[in-house]
Amino acid sequence: MSNINYYNFVETPFNMKIKISRKNIIESNLVLRYSFFIVFSLVCTGYSYAQSSDSSINIEEIKPQARVTGLKYICVHVLELEKTMKLYREILGFKLADAEVLHGPMLEGMLVMRLKAGDVTISLSLTAPEFWDQVGPIGNTNHNHFMLKVNNIGPIGDKLKEEGYELENDNYTQDKYTFFKGPNGEIIGLSAWD
């Protein structure tokens, strides 16, 4: 019996007969080991260089960028209650999660019904006819809008103001919400509330 150890693979249309000698295997293993050692050395050298050259960076200065993290809800102002409920509940399968009547300037008497389907929430707002004059014209933020969740509203609100957008709530950093009109007339809300 010979000292050469080899593997035979049956020749098929998908592979060919391969013979690997023990010597070739040992040489291949040495090449892999040396390659691993070189790559490891380069990575470690680069890591230590990065640490020494940028040692003045304070970890606390590195903050995540302010951004949108999800959709909080969509608000639709109801003009036809029966058709709206049929669409959202019977056809689309939303379930009523809760409802409340709002009070305050431009909100008085508004019924807000929150409907859920999976992780989507839609708020349907309905104003009694006697309060129509207190809600404001259609197109303001008490009507159709969508609310986006953000991780840090301050920098986003500041950037919007720099770009010339009018924010409904200038106290957005403390209140953690505001609304603005997008370039297409869409009303966008931003909320940092959990």
Side-chain angles (χ1 to χ4, degrees):
M1 191 155 136
S2 103
N3 284 342
I4 297 176
N5 186 6
Y6 63 89
Y7 301 95
N8 287 320
F9 292 93
V10 178
E11 200 168 316
T12 67
F14 301 105
N15 63 10
M16 297 175 46
K17 191 173 188 180
I18 299 174
K19 288 185 179 181
I20 301 175
S21 71
R22 185 178 204 157
K23 181 180 176 186
N24 287 346
I25 291 173
I26 292 171
E27 288 174 358
S28 295
N29 282 341
L30 286 174
V31 169
L32 285 173
R33 286 181 188 167
Y34 285 124
S35 298
F36 175 79
F37 177 76
I38 290 169
V39 170
F40 180 77
S41 298
L42 289 173
V43 168
C44 289
T45 303
Y47 177 74
S48 66
Y49 174 77
Q51 280 188 332
S52 63
S53 66
D54 287 335
S55 60
S56 63
I57 294 177
N58 184 353
I59 297 297
E60 292 175 3
E61 292 174 4
I62 302 172
K63 295 180 182 173
Q65 185 178 14
R67 62 185 173 80
V68 172
T69 60
L71 178 66
K72 192 149 182 86
Y73 65 80
I74 300 166
C75 183
V76 176
H77 186 73
V78 176
L79 299 175
E80 296 189 41
L81 181 59
E82 192 174 327
K83 281 186 173 182
T84 301
M85 296 310 279
K86 182 171 185 161
L87 170 65
Y88 287 96
R89 294 188 74 193
E90 294 177 27
I91 297 172
L92 298 176
F94 281 84
K95 304 286 184 214
L96 182 65
D98 64 42
E100 68 177 311
V101 176
L102 304 180
H103 302 284
M106 298 186 68
L107 297 171
E108 191 59 46
M110 181 183 288
L111 171 65
V112 177
M113 298 167 283
R114 287 177 194 80
L115 306 177
K116 288 190 172 260
D119 61 351
V120 176
T121 301
I122 292 181
S123 295
L124 300 177
S125 63
L126 176 66
T127 302
E130 63 267 25
F131 295 113
W132 270 96
D133 62 330
Q134 296 182 35
V135 174
I138 290 181
N140 75 10
T141 57
N142 294 327
H143 296 284
N144 301 326
H145 66 271
F146 58 92
M147 180 69 79
L148 299 171
K149 291 190 282 188
V150 295
N151 62 350
N152 187 353
I153 197 168
I156 297 172
D158 295 346
K159 181 70 174 167
L160 286 167
K161 287 176 83 170
E162 286 174 22
E163 293 293 322
Y165 289 97
E166 281 188 44
L167 303 183
E168 182 183 84
N169 177 14
D170 282 330
N171 200 23
Y172 52 87
T173 304
Q174 183 178 0
D175 294 342
K176 297 186 179 181
Y177 81 92
T178 193
F179 293 93
F180 67 98
K181 194 176 283 192
N184 307 295
E186 70 273 28
I187 299 170
I188 303 168
L190 301 176
S191 172
W193 290 99
D194 292 329

